[in-house]
Amino acid sequence: MLRYGVGCLGLVLIGIGAWRVADQPDSLGVVVWLAGAVVLHDGIIAPLVLAIGLLLVGRPERGVLRGALVVAGSLVLIALPLLVRPGEPPNPSALPLPYGRNLVIVLAAVVVAAVAVILVRRRGRPQRSTDDD
């Protein structure tokens, strides 16, 4: 019952989203952007995260690094259209701040958080003894 309820809720939300996109003045642009996001995710972000995961098999840091890559990739995916759009934005409030600099700051914060989690986990893990007593 719960599965059907959540499925119906998902269909309603998809319908609301499609209706809102169709109501936009540049609905084709929105659809192209969404398709581009899917292509970037499936063509770049997901393979990169999987490749890093394969390179780090057996390492305890694997999950943290993959999570940091997903967050960083998502942030870039959201900010990139605003950063690469040519010319002045049609709405002056669209880019009121230096988004390039702010994106670098947020990505640095993601790296710092991932390194902090890795260091805390390493510190909490018992050290292996090399003595053969």
Side-chain angles (χ1 to χ4, degrees):
M1 225 27 197
L2 179 63
R3 182 182 301 170
Y4 291 119
V6 171
C8 288
L9 178 63
L11 289 174
V12 167
L13 291 174
I14 288 171
I16 291 171
W19 177 62
R20 301 263 329 220
V21 166
D23 195 35
Q24 295 295 315
D26 184 24
S27 58
L28 180 62
V30 173
V31 170
V32 168
W33 185 87
L34 289 172
V38 170
V39 168
L40 281 174
H41 175 270
D42 292 351
I44 296 173
I45 296 173
L48 179 65
V49 170
L50 291 173
I52 295 293
L54 288 174
L55 291 173
L56 299 173
V57 169
R59 303 272 315 191
E61 300 88 8
R62 178 180 177 189
V64 175
L65 292 175
R66 288 172 69 186
L69 281 173
V70 168
V71 170
S74 300
L75 288 168
V76 169
L77 189 64
I78 291 168
L80 199 59
L82 292 172
L83 295 174
V84 299
R85 183 179 186 147
E88 290 293 317
N91 181 354
S93 67
L95 292 173
L97 301 171
Y99 280 93
R101 183 200 68 193
N102 292 349
L103 177 62
V104 170
I105 291 170
V106 172
L107 291 175
V110 169
V111 170
V112 168
V115 169
V117 169
I118 290 170
L119 291 176
V120 167
R121 286 185 177 180
R122 281 187 182 172
R123 188 158 201 202
R125 202 176 313 131
Q127 297 292 326
R128 288 186 184 175
S129 176
T130 58
D131 296 336
D132 290 334
D133 295 354

